[in-house]
Amino acid sequence: MKRRDFLATAGTSAAAAATVGLAGCSVDSKITPTPSTAVSLASGTASADGSAAKAKPQVKLYAGTQRSPTSQRMLQYIKRHGVDHVCGYPPSPPYPQRGYWTVEELEKTRETCEAHDITLDMVALPFLSSSHIDREKRGAIMLGKSPERDRDIDDIHKMTENCAKAGIPAWKYNMSLLGVLRTERTAGRGGSSYSTWKLKLAEADPELTRAGRVTEDMALERMQYFVERVIPVCQEHKIRAACHLHDPGTPPGGFQGIERLLGNFEGIKKFIALSESPYHGLNLCLGSMMENLENPNEEIHEVIRYFGNKQRIFNIHFRNMIGSRGDFQEVYLDNGDIDMLQVMRTLVEVGYPYMVMPDHVPRHSDDPGGLQAFAHSYGYIEALISAVKTSG
């Protein structure tokens, strides 16, 4: 949604609300429902003249972030911008020797957040990030390499148990071999630059990674090995495991020899179907998902409804884009092709109850670390939430 359209929508909603308030009640008058007003006006389902009125939606979601490090400075920064929930990053453990955080490390991070009146909703795993397999020191799970992957899974079990002891209800992770694929950045508004992917300009260098050729079926088998061993422990301890999508998907035949299962809607469905546990779900990056669609502004809603109605969305990355599968730019929330207000409405429609957080903001030399761009995103997300609460 364009900024001017959003402001117009918000203004119209506010004016409508004011009109209803003035017409429906004055200082020295009372409303006497007519017989046709079968439902209390307070329910929002009928107006004074008996006509139907739209009930306001129940909004459970809220603004969040995953900015690191989880330090006093960062927490003060997000608190100033109205963000009260985070995905945290405790200090890095000795790596790659130890692939989990201790209870003490997790508790200290949670207590640091609480000291700033911020809730630690989840943490990221110390490994299984969005790194490229040729740079990853702990890649055995996605390489399907035993017994090393069993050691890594054991560390994730420890991580799950420690999260439960520390009172942290979720962790997020990636199951990636290629990391985030991009071509050269492109010029954006105000002298900023946009993260960009143009498949026709991409070069597979090297042609194959150390993983060799990996088909979707091979990837699914490795993910199944992981899910069958990890999710039962998550269910035992009531810890949600949120898996990020692949960013972006690969063309038929793959890229650098790798086909990306989590880079298309049908593949993500197969991944979720690996377990019926309510603790097996997604860090649904809307940017990554939209960048894998041919008509993202229309098709993203089917994706949200499919996984949202199954209650398998545990975290939302909220970003806008220009373009479609194979050719896109990641832009500011208010100047892309996607109607982000409608996306927010769909998230509310399916009852999504967790964080909505920005990521992959545009860059500018006057904005080191992206603090300005993230502040813009926090305000925009909070305004969309307010608009949905007010007008549906």
Side-chain angles (χ1 to χ4, degrees), residues 361-383:
V361 294
R363 295 179 186 172
H364 194 281
S365 58
D366 289 347
D367 184 21
L371 295 180
Q372 296 172 12
F374 272 99
H376 171 274
S377 296
Y378 298 142
Y380 201 83
I381 288 171
E382 289 157 7

Side-chain angles (χ1 to χ4, degrees), residues 8-219:
T9 300
T12 301
S13 300
T19 301
V20 170
L22 291 173
C25 185
S26 64
V27 174
D28 57 357
S29 66
K30 295 182 180 180
I31 298 175
T32 303
T34 64
S36 62
T37 307
V39 185
S40 168
L41 294 176
S43 71
T45 58
S47 61
D49 62 0
S51 61
K54 183 179 180 181
K56 293 180 181 178
Q58 183 179 10
V59 179
K60 301 176 184 178
L61 53 78
Y62 43 85
T65 191
Q66 58 183 18
R67 300 284 283 156
S68 65
T70 309
S71 62
Q72 175 174 301
R73 182 179 180 182
M74 183 56 67
L75 292 170
Q76 287 181 346
Y77 161 75
I78 65 171
K79 189 70 176 181
R80 288 197 303 273
H81 293 91
V83 178
D84 299 327
H85 298 263
V86 298
C87 170
Y89 294 83
S92 296
Y95 188 78
Q97 292 78 19
R98 173 158 65 91
Y100 62 92
W101 282 297
T102 65
V103 174
E104 292 73 22
E105 290 166 339
L106 293 168
E107 286 180 338
K108 184 177 180 179
T109 303
R110 177 178 55 75
E111 290 165 359
T112 300
C113 292
E114 290 173 349
H116 293 81
D117 197 24
I118 291 173
T119 301
L120 181 59
D121 279 36
M122 63 168 47
V123 292
L125 290 185
F127 64 105
L128 285 183
S129 66
S130 59
S131 63
H132 193 283
I133 193 61
D134 287 347
R135 298 186 294 271
E136 180 55 53
K137 296 179 180 179
R138 276 202 170 201
I141 289 173
M142 288 311 299
L143 290 171
K145 186 178 180 181
S146 293
E148 291 87 350
R149 63 177 169 179
D150 299 306
R151 173 207 62 176
D152 292 349
I153 287 172
D154 186 59
D155 274 4
I156 293 173
H157 289 163
K158 293 173 184 175
M159 181 78 189
T160 302
E161 294 164 4
N162 291 347
C163 280
K165 291 175 183 177
I168 300 168
W171 47 257
K172 70 183 187 73
Y173 67 110
N174 287 260
M175 303 209 80
S176 175
L177 289 168
L178 293 177
V180 177
L181 296 173
R182 293 293 185 269
T183 48
E184 186 175 350
R185 298 181 71 86
T186 50
R189 75 181 186 194
S192 61
S193 67
Y194 297 150
S195 178
T196 301
W197 174 246
K198 293 183 179 294
L199 177 60
K200 64 182 180 181
L201 301 179
E203 297 182 5
D205 184 21
E207 184 177 341
L208 296 177
T209 72
R210 67 178 170 126
R213 297 200 177 276
V214 180
T215 66
E216 284 195 3
D217 288 342
M218 292 169 64

